[in-house]
Amino acid sequence: MSSIFYPVVPLSCPWGASGSCRFCGIPFMEKVLVPEMPAEKELKAQFDVFVNNSRNAQDIKRHKRIAIAPNGSVVPEVPKPLRDYVLAFCKKHNLCFESELIATLIDEKRAYALYDRAYKKRHRGLSGSERHGKVVATLQEIDDALNSEFLGNNVLLNIGVEVANSEDLKMLHKYTDDPDDFIACAEYLRARGIRIGANILVGAPFIQDPVRKALETVRFAFEEVRADKILLITWNPVKYTVAKKQYDKGNIDVLSATESAEIYHVVKAAYPHKEIECNRMRAHVFHGKHPNFRGARISTDERKIRAREAVRALAREVFV
């Protein structure tokens, strides 16, 4: 996976702690937020340090892209001067500009409600008219980016699909519980020449039949969203979230390394010509750690064989 540039995000960012999923903790950035966004010069200096790091430079050259991880959608959490600076760098070096987008931000009415609620919480001193002006300016910035800045600039935006199941999306407190919203967003971006990625949360907390759901979400992402790439992210217990507290109590567990790896292998086999990445978080070190789940540890060759075959059997059902 290519190196990811994490720009500094201010506390006023609407996708800070208040915008985090309280179950999976994605994103959960309050520990790294700052009171005010650094000046344009400082932001550009941060990026220069990032790309001039020898390890990052090698990674960028190998993958031919720069991935920017904002605290939520790519606009406006990454300020326009920084976006322009990175886009210019990508164009100069023939690189893909990769980042993220909340699917419902293409819908002006829902985007307005989302930002109005966020600004009301984060900027309590604003009057109604002042907040309205701030929201309208934000929506204009989103529109400018998607309909002007990104056009013809080799851009790929990742949509947080997580799991393609309405009830599960409700339980995870996603910003939408309608999988059709991801399809609509993809169509909107594709019409503007923007490529689409889909982030899939493997083993999301509390959901039933997580392996099957992960495989079904992959199928949904490639065949209905028509994503250009997917990223498989194994759920990891994140501090301060409801799911982490439930994990600590032994009420939920994470997928094993064996199951997670086999999901990746069967997906690669089912879609050999698609771009498929898996995250490098070592979530599996939590598997079977709590006394309530030690009996589920896949610690022998025999158990590993059975676990892999179980994933393959589900894949044969899902990828028909």
Side-chain angles (χ1 to χ4, degrees):
M1 186 176 180
S2 57
S3 293
I4 302 176
F5 174 56
Y6 294 90
V8 174
V9 180
L11 280 166
S12 59
C13 166
W15 307 115
S18 64
S20 309
C21 171
R22 65 190 185 96
F23 288 96
C24 65
I26 301 175
F28 196 93
M29 299 286 284
E30 67 175 352
K31 296 298 182 182
V32 297
L33 301 182
V34 294
E36 294 182 3
M37 181 68 75
E40 177 181 338
K41 183 178 180 180
E42 171 59 25
L43 287 171
K44 292 178 179 179
Q46 288 179 20
F47 180 74
D48 289 340
V49 170
F50 170 79
V51 295
N52 288 320
N53 176 281
S54 59
R55 182 175 179 179
N56 291 342
Q58 290 176 0
D59 206 21
I60 291 167
K61 184 177 181 180
R62 180 166 66 253
H63 294 282
K64 296 193 70 63
R65 66 175 175 240
I66 290 178
I68 297 185
N71 192 27
S73 65
V74 67
V75 285
E77 283 75 9
V78 179
K80 186 179 186 323
L82 180 60
R83 292 200 308 271
D84 290 343
Y85 193 64
V86 177
L87 279 167
F89 181 90
C90 289
K91 188 171 184 179
K92 178 180 178 181
H93 298 279
N94 193 28
L95 302 171
C96 173
F97 175 99
E98 180 174 337
S99 197
E100 304 168 1
L101 184 73
I102 292 175
T104 54
L105 292 191
I106 65 165
D107 183 315
E108 184 176 351
K109 185 175 181 179
R110 283 193 286 179
Y112 185 99
L114 213 58
Y115 274 97
D116 184 64
R117 185 170 64 249
Y119 288 148
K120 187 174 184 178
K121 183 178 181 65
R122 286 296 187 182
H123 300 281
R124 299 181 187 275
L126 294 178
S127 67
S129 60
E130 288 172 331
R131 188 172 68 253
H132 171 75
K134 188 173 179 63
V135 174
V136 169
T138 297
L139 299 188
Q140 186 60 57
E141 186 174 4
I142 293 169
D143 186 81
D144 289 344
L146 298 180
N147 290 288
S148 179
E149 292 176 31
F150 292 165
L151 301 190
N153 272 321
N154 191 13
V155 172
L156 184 147
L157 297 180
N158 295 291
I159 305 169
V161 176
E162 317 301 8
V163 56
N165 179 282
S166 181
E167 293 305 312
D168 291 334
L169 289 170
K170 289 178 185 177
M171 186 168 54
L172 292 173
H173 287 237
K174 288 291 290 182
Y175 50 84
T176 177
D177 56 30
D178 186 355
D180 285 347
D181 283 335
F182 304 123
I183 297 173
C185 180
E187 291 175 348
Y188 181 96
L189 297 179
R190 191 176 297 109
R192 288 153 178 77
I194 300 170
R195 291 182 293 137
I196 299 99
N199 295 337
I200 297 172
L201 190 59
V202 177
F206 305 111
I207 72 170
Q208 300 296 314
D209 208 356
V211 175
R212 179 186 292 274
K213 293 279 182 63
L215 299 174
E216 289 175 345
T217 304
V218 169
R219 184 184 64 190
F220 170 78
F222 277 142
E223 299 182 15
E224 296 189 56
V225 174
R226 293 192 290 146
D228 296 281
K229 62 167 280 193
I230 63 169
L231 173 63
L232 300 170
I233 307 171
T234 304
W235 174 69
N236 204 30
V238 177
K239 288 182 179 180
Y240 314 114
T241 61
V242 171
K244 176 62 164 63
K245 293 175 182 177
Q246 291 300 309
Y247 169 81
D248 290 340
K249 293 177 181 178
N251 294 331
I252 55 175
D253 199 9
V254 302
L255 287 184
S256 69
T258 301
E259 291 171 303
S260 297
E262 196 60 32
I263 288 171
Y264 173 74
H265 291 312
V266 299
V267 168
K268 289 286 287 183
Y271 298 96
H273 304 299
K274 293 289 188 177
E275 185 177 357
I276 301 164
E277 293 182 347
C278 60
N279 73 311
R280 303 300 182 189
M281 290 193 303
R282 296 175 65 83
H284 60 267
V285 300
F286 292 97
H287 176 68
K289 186 176 180 180
H290 194 280
N292 290 3
F293 296 104
R294 282 179 186 162
R297 282 181 175 174
I298 303 177
S299 54
T300 66
D301 289 342
E302 182 181 357
R303 283 192 169 191
K304 289 179 181 179
I305 290 170
R306 289 204 302 267
R308 291 189 186 109
E309 182 49 42
V311 175
R312 292 170 192 158
L314 285 173
R316 287 192 289 271
E317 293 179 17
V318 173
F319 302 134
V320 292

